[in-house]
Amino acid sequence: MSQNRTATVTRKTKETDITVTVGLDGTGKSDIATGIGFFDHMLESFSKHSAIDLTVSCKGDLHIDMHHSVEDTGIVIGQAILKALGDFAGITRFGHAYVPMDETLSRAAVDLCKRPYLVWHVQFTRDKIGEMDTELFKEFFHALAGNGGMCLHIENLYGENCHHIAESCFKATARALRAAIAVDPKLGGKPASTKGSL
């Protein structure tokens, strides 16, 4: 399998204009600009802990609200990861991670199976973190999973601080994805499936 798994995807609608570049075999370098401060912070963390090089440029209708920008960014990051993975052959496929952050513990598990699904067991006691609506985190991960061919389960086991809860979910997903996209030499470039393909 090639160790130059990169992809660039652009999506332009009346609501958003987004370009994303991913490098799956990177070191976690990022250049993020969505116009939403806390979201940028989460995507930088996602890049660092997944070791995926990530460039995101999003110009959205923030004068309306943040929904379109956050959801559409999830769509395009998912599409870019899917494109960079190619036929998925030779990858570990599964990954999971527990991430503690002070009083908070969250876990994520992912199956890169091309059968998208999101399980989201996360609750917030505040409507916003910074200027970002907390309900948008689910929208982001739903778009990411749906467009990235991921079966993704995210759960906050316990926690009090909403910043910690959100950040631990992003980091846990990143670490799970880092394991799942890794090339498994034992597979010899074949899919990790008894079906012979994903």
Side-chain angles (χ1 to χ4, degrees):
M1 172 179 283
S2 169
Q3 290 297 293
N4 186 27
R5 299 177 296 169
T6 62
T8 298
V9 174
T10 296
R11 182 178 191 267
K12 188 171 184 177
T13 71
K14 292 181 179 179
E15 297 167 343
T16 58
D17 183 354
I18 302 172
T19 298
V20 168
T21 298
V22 299
L24 302 187
D25 303 299
T27 58
K29 295 182 295 184
S30 63
D31 182 6
I32 313 292
T34 67
I36 306 168
F38 189 76
F39 190 39
D40 287 357
H41 177 47
M42 292 299 97
L43 293 178
E44 289 165 1
S45 181
F46 177 82
S47 172
K48 174 61 69 177
H49 293 282
S50 65
I52 294 173
D53 290 344
L54 178 64
T55 301
V56 177
S57 172
C58 172
K59 297 177 177 65
D61 53 1
L62 297 180
H63 63 286
I64 295 177
D65 69 7
M66 299 178 183
H67 190 285
H68 299 144
S69 292
V70 172
E71 182 178 31
D72 290 6
T73 296
I75 289 171
V76 184
I77 292 175
Q79 290 174 345
I81 290 172
L82 184 70
K83 184 177 178 180
L85 283 170
D87 61 5
F88 286 36
I91 62 168
T92 301
R93 177 178 165 180
F94 298 99
H96 67 274
Y98 284 77
V99 170
M101 194 168 184
D102 294 348
E103 85 297 342
T104 296
L105 182 65
S106 297
R107 69 181 169 201
V110 64
D111 176 10
L112 296 177
C113 58
K114 299 186 182 179
R115 295 186 302 279
Y117 200 90
L118 175 69
V119 174
W120 176 259
H121 291 163
V122 184
Q123 294 184 337
F124 295 96
T125 57
R126 289 164 50 192
D127 293 334
K128 290 181 180 291
I129 303 174
E131 295 299 314
M132 185 171 175
D133 299 324
T134 52
E135 67 180 7
L136 295 181
F137 296 120
K138 181 180 180 181
E139 299 303 320
F140 169 78
F141 285 111
H142 186 266
L144 178 73
N147 288 272
M150 307 175 192
C151 176
L152 178 60
H153 292 228
I154 304 172
E155 185 173 11
N156 172 239
L157 300 176
Y158 47 82
E160 298 174 4
N161 183 287
C162 290
H163 185 132
H164 295 165
I165 291 170
E167 189 163 349
S168 62
C169 288
F170 273 84
K171 287 179 177 177
T173 301
R175 295 296 301 196
L177 193 57
R178 181 173 180 165
I181 65 175
V183 175
D184 183 349
K186 291 184 179 181
L187 292 172
K190 296 178 182 178
S193 173
T194 55
K195 299 175 184 177
S197 66
L198 290 172

